[in-house]
């Protein structure tokens, strides 16, 4: 529920149509597309107070506030954004969008391809973090924002924030990269591949064109989400929350739900599979796997960051093993090598990768302190 | 920070002024155990240094960011592996040496990462400390404001001890300032000085 005074209040999504073809990194040309987005706060007269929030795997444009017709539908980062919150909408103009390839309104695999009159399905390109940045830059142009005061995100969202400072060094003053990595480790790609295989091998997948068969690969998507969910939590957090608690108090000696953790995971899987598009899930995990700015520099991340001009805040969480503090420290090391302004905090938190979405006093204080400085650089 | 605040800070922490006197305009500085970032803020404002701090405490991380000082959260006792060889002109360890656990490796790390090191520490040989010990008590003073049971200080030393250490580990002392409060001490420094600041590099 919206929490009174500190909420941005009632929000509504907007839509932007782009008719200039987008050349994707894969070589695919997307002739036209739509992006759905929300904005909070007011853009100041010299358009210097804009913040772009990039979303992670399952996120979207509804970042803060709530909808008039559904007050329970609060934005996914409402704890962070609002009047008086760390991303203070009294000072900043905040933009959140649904990425290309998403399933919340922006053009994606489940959208109808105007050329065929059928959903894109398997024909939708595998878009990358670089492609997203390109499409986001066009949205910024549309909104009249030449340079963002800050671009930020967690996880896959952090990768986009980092990429912005490489694709458009002049267009972002501050990057806040949270619980992210300069590229995925083999283990991390492995988790993604198991998730993809769950979807790809679901009999209802139909090579990605399940829409025309009137089915959804629910079982695969559900398994993918269950696996993902395990990796977003920490061993301790799971132990604290569920332990070995039995649902009915005694063992049943069958394959029904016995332990609370099983119940929780299945519930999360079902909930997710009911609204998320399987093709989008596949595409998002691929974007994670492909992100690797050092690749074109002989794996030298220092060289990749040589063109960066932004200042950075890098944050990690102690129990995050999917995007571990070590991965964030690699980013910091390259930024130091390139003499960028950078601060790094390792937030002590019990909640694993999911910590970046949680309310945590120190984490929020660090964000607030940094963003207050960002705000002090422009006139209100 | 305005000029008045600078003067107040320099008076409160005379070792800051001594350190600033050695650092040229625009130098790059790594401040280990930088606290709330006061020294870096001071050096940035007065000498336009390119500075980074290293801190372990959450509240100091918040304070540094609030003070617009770059800060990296890390435990000094796990070394400086996040920093490249010769990546700084100066690596400073201000009033922190005595609280480090792995003091000798850290001093070596300072000279791997920096061209020169600067260290300030409370002189355990200061006469008031000696009097305390002679009376049978651990010294408690403005420079050593802890009781024996709650002190973070595990490696206290005198000027003599520090200089012996430097020569043993092939570190060349380039400069030394000894003071008590804000007055400079020339005579019998190991007895009359409460705080010492050293600048050193690797011996050839």
């Amino acid at each position: 529920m919206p929490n009174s005074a500190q909420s941005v209040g009632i929000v509504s999504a907007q839509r932007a149509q782009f008719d200039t073809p987008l050349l994707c990194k894969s070589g695919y040309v997307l002739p036209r597309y739509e992006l759905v987005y929300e904005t909070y706060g007011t853009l100041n007269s010299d358009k210097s107070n804009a913040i772009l929030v990039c979303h992670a795997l399952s996120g979207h444009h509804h970042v803060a506030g709530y909808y008039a017709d559904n007050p329970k539908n609060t934005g996914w980062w409402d704890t962070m954004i609002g009047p008086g919150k760390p991303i203070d909408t009294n000072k900043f103009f905040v933009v959140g969008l649904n990425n290309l390839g998403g399933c919340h309104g922006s053009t994606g695999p489940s959208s109808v391809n105007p050329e065929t009159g059928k959903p894109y399905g398997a024909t939708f390109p595998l878009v990358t973090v670089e492609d997203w940045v390109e499409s986001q830059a066009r949205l910024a142009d549309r909104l009249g924002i030449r340079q963002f005061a800050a671009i930020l995100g967690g996880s896959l969202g952090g990768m986009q924030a980092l990429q912005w400072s490489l694709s458009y060094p002049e267009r972002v003053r501050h990057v806040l990269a949270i619980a992210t990595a300069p590229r995925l480790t083999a283990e991390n790609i492995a988790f993604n591949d198991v998730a993809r295989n769950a979807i790809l091998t679901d009999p209802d997948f139909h090579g990605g064109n399940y829409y025309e068969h009137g089915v959804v690969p629910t079982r695969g998507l559900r398994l993918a989400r269950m696996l993902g969910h395990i990796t977003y939590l920490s061993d301790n957090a799971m132990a604290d929350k569920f332990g070995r608690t039995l649902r009915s108090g005694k063992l049943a000696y069958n394959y029904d739900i016995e332990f609370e953790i099983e119940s929780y995971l299945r519930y999360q899987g079902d909930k997710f599979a009911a609204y998320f598009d399987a093709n989008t899930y596949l595409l998002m995990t691929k974007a994670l796997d492909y992100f690797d700015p050092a690749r074109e520099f002989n794996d030298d991340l220092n060289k990749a960051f040589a063109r960066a001009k932004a200042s950075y805040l890098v944050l990690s969480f102690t129990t995050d093993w999917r995007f571990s503090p070590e991965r964030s420290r690699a980013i910091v090391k390259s930024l130091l090598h390139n003499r960028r302004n950078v601060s790094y905090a390792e937030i002590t938190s019990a909640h694993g990768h999911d910590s970046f979405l949680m309310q945590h006093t120190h984490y929020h204080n660090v964000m607030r302190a940094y963003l207050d400085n960002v705000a002090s650089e422009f006139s209100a | 920070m305005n000029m008045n605040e600078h003067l107040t800070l320099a008076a409160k922490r005379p070792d800051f002024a001594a350190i600033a006197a050695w650092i040229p305009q625009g130098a790059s500085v790594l401040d280990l155990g930088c606290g709330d970032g006061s020294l870096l803020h001071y050096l940035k404002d007065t000498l336009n240094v390119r500075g980074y701090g290293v801190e372990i405490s959450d509240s100091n991380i918040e304070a540094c960011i609030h003070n617009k000082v770059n800060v990296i959260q890390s435990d000094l006792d796990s070394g400086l592996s996040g920093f490249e060889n010769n990546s700084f002109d100066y690596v400073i360890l201000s009033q922190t040496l005595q609280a480090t656990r792995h003091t000798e490796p850290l001093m070596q790390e300072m000279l791997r990462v920096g061209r020169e090191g600067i260290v300030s520490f409370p002189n355990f040989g200061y006469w008031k400390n000696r009097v305390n010990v002679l009376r049978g008590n651990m010294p408690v003073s403005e420079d050593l404001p802890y009781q024996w049971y709650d002190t973070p200080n595990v490696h206290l030393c005198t000027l003599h001890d520090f200089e012996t250490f430097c020569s043993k580990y092939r570190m060349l002392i380039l400069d030394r300032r000894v003071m008590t409060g804000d007055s400079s001490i020339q005579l019998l420094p190991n007895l009359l000085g409460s705080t010492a600041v050293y600048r050193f590099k690797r011996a050839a």
Side-chain angles (χ1 to χ4, degrees), chain A residues 23-276:
Chain A
L23 172 61
C24 296
K25 204 181 172 194
S26 65
Y28 187 100
V29 178
L30 195 62
R32 65 190 63 80
Y33 56 93
E34 286 188 330
L35 294 177
V36 62
Y37 65 98
E38 289 180 8
T39 69
Y40 323 111
T42 312
L43 190 59
N44 62 7
S45 56
D46 61 358
K47 299 178 175 178
S48 57
N49 69 334
I51 283 186
L52 177 67
V53 178
C54 303
H55 70 73
L57 202 155
S58 60
H60 46 71
H61 56 286
H62 185 36
V63 191
Y66 55 94
Y67 294 135
D69 60 355
N70 185 5
K72 283 189 176 171
N73 187 354
T74 314
W76 58 266
W77 220 6
D78 196 69
T79 52
M80 190 64 88
I81 300 164
K85 289 182 184 172
I87 302 174
D88 190 343
T89 47
N90 290 328
K91 298 171 181 169
F92 294 106
F93 175 69
V94 182
V95 182
L97 81 159
N98 184 212
N99 279 341
L100 203 56
C103 55
H104 289 86
S106 291
T107 303
S110 54
S111 312
V112 172
N113 180 349
E115 276 158 38
T116 62
K118 292 196 294 186
Y120 283 95
T123 67
F124 197 84
L126 291 190
V127 287
T128 62
V129 168
E130 291 96 317
D131 299 334
W132 282 333
V133 168
E134 193 56 42
S135 65
Q136 290 160 0
R138 291 182 184 184
L139 178 63
D141 292 342
R142 190 68 61 88
L143 296 170
I145 299 160
R146 204 203 68 77
Q147 186 189 56
F148 282 99
I151 298 182
L152 55 97
S155 193
L156 179 57
M159 290 175 170
Q160 293 159 59
L162 291 173
Q163 183 61 42
W164 257 94
S165 67
L166 305 180
S167 293
Y168 290 102
E170 313 283 350
R171 296 193 69 172
V172 52
R173 294 197 294 278
H174 295 272
V175 167
L176 287 77
I178 307 163
T180 193
R183 61 173 167 199
L184 293 194
T185 58
E187 183 191 60
N188 214 329
I189 294 172
F191 281 120
N192 282 342
D193 194 48
V194 175
R196 281 193 295 269
N197 264 286
I199 295 168
L200 294 169
T201 58
D202 186 318
D204 286 336
F205 183 63
H206 295 289
N209 296 317
Y210 44 88
Y211 316 98
E212 45 199 79
H213 292 82
V215 291
V216 174
T218 312
R219 285 164 291 182
L221 188 55
R222 188 169 166 269
L223 282 175
R225 184 58 171 181
M226 286 167 75
L227 172 71
H229 213 90
I230 296 167
T231 69
Y232 306 147
L233 299 176
S234 70
D235 191 15
N236 280 339
M238 261 200 236
D240 285 351
K241 197 166 172 184
F242 308 104
R244 293 180 52 87
T245 309
L246 294 170
R247 203 134 179 259
S248 66
K250 60 178 197 297
L251 295 173
Y253 297 98
N254 61 32
Y255 297 116
D256 294 339
I257 294 173
E258 293 189 275
F259 293 93
E260 281 293 353
I261 181 64
E262 296 175 303
S263 164
Y264 173 79
L265 278 180
R266 291 184 202 194
Y267 169 76
Q268 290 294 335
D270 287 339
K271 197 174 78 169
F272 187 74
Y275 74 86
F276 207 84

Side-chain angles (χ1 to χ4, degrees), chain A residues 302 313 332-333 335-337 339-348 361-363 365-366 369-370 373 376-377, chain B residues 28 50-52 57-59 61-62 64-74 81-84 86-88:
Chain A
N302 291 344
L313 176 66
V332 172
K333 198 165 185 179
L335 293 172
L336 285 169
H337 176 88
R339 307 183 161 211
R340 304 317 312 153
N341 280 317
V342 53
S343 283
Y344 169 66
E346 210 163 288
I347 314 282
T348 303
T361 308
H362 172 54
Y363 168 38
N365 285 349
V366 168
Y370 193 87
N373 292 341
S376 73
E377 292 167 5
Chain B
S28 60
R50 189 176 64 79
Y52 299 85
S57 116
D58 287 351
S59 57
I61 294 288
E62 287 178 26
C64 284
I65 292 173
H66 178 76
N67 287 327
K68 301 191 179 187
V69 164
N70 290 317
V71 64
I72 310 296
Q73 189 162 27
S74 177
S81 60
F83 300 92
E84 295 176 340
N86 299 311
S87 51
F88 287 89

Side-chain angles (χ1 to χ4, degrees), chain B residues 144-186:
Chain B
L144 296 168
Y146 302 98
Q147 296 293 336
W148 65 269
Y149 50 83
D150 64 9
T151 181
N153 298 331
V154 290
H155 286 144
L156 288 160
C157 67
T158 69
L159 271 58
H160 285 165
D161 295 331
F162 184 77
E163 289 170 19
T164 308
F165 170 90
C166 286
S167 85
K168 179 174 177 193
Y169 289 102
R170 305 192 48 72
M171 293 170 191
L172 181 67
I173 292 168
L174 300 167
D175 222 331
R176 181 184 81 179
R177 282 281 310 273
V178 183
M179 57 205 118
T180 299
D182 52 4
S183 43
S184 186
I185 303 293
Q186 313 294 336

